[in-house]
């Protein structure tokens, strides 16, 4: 599940406006392979909640979602390599620290 801190996103927008060498599309996200389950559990822990996420059997998702089940079951990998090649450095790369910073 791709994610990004609002401050990093704002910095990418500013870089895109001011850097005349940037052209085309860029992925604005951290590429740490965070899963939805991992993100949800981390967020719940930080907020002081416990969370229980049931695992739905793959065959049920295939039956109900058909071809779209591949996106749910396998996920999608997104790379931020292109934006990083421009010299951009993410300030928020740790999910737990990022979520904690959003509480203040």
């Amino acid at each position: 599940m791709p994610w990004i801190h609002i401050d990093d996103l704002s910095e990418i927008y500013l870089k895109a406006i001011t850097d005349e060498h940037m052209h085309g599309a860029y992925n604005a996200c951290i590429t740490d392979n965070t899963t939805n389950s991992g993100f949800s559990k981390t967020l719940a822990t930080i907020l002081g909640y416990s969370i229980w996420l049931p695992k739905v059997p793959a065959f049920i998702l295939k039956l109900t979602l058909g071809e779209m089940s591949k996106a749910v079951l396998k996920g999608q990998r997104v790379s931020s390599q292109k934006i990083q090649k421009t010299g951009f450095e993410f300030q928020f790369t740790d999910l737990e620290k990022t979520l904690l910073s959003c509480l203040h």
Side-chain angles (χ1 to χ4, degrees):
M1 184 176 124
W3 60 272
I4 188 169
H5 190 282
I6 188 69
D7 290 350
D8 280 338
L9 181 59
S10 298
E11 290 298 321
I12 289 174
Y13 284 143
L14 288 173
K15 182 168 182 58
I17 292 168
T18 60
D19 186 339
E20 62 188 42
H21 297 103
M22 287 182 65
H23 300 284
Y26 290 82
N27 292 322
C29 64
I30 301 299
T31 53
D32 66 351
N33 295 325
T34 299
T35 63
N36 183 46
S37 175
F39 185 94
S40 299
K41 287 177 183 176
T42 302
L43 180 59
T45 300
I46 287 171
L47 295 176
Y49 296 100
S50 59
I51 189 170
W52 177 77
L53 297 172
K55 186 167 183 169
V56 178
F59 78 91
I60 291 177
L61 290 173
K62 288 178 185 177
L63 283 173
T64 57
L65 299 176
E67 197 66 27
M68 291 189 314
S69 66
K70 290 180 184 178
V72 175
L73 294 170
K74 295 183 181 183
Q76 296 180 347
R77 301 292 178 241
V78 180
S79 172
S80 60
Q81 187 176 18
K82 185 177 176 184
I83 190 68
Q84 289 175 310
K85 282 184 178 180
T86 69
F88 181 82
E89 292 183 27
F90 289 93
Q91 299 303 306
F92 298 89
T93 57
D94 179 86
L95 178 60
E96 185 173 347
K97 289 178 183 175
T98 300
L99 291 172
L100 284 168
S101 77
C102 293
L103 294 176
H104 296 69

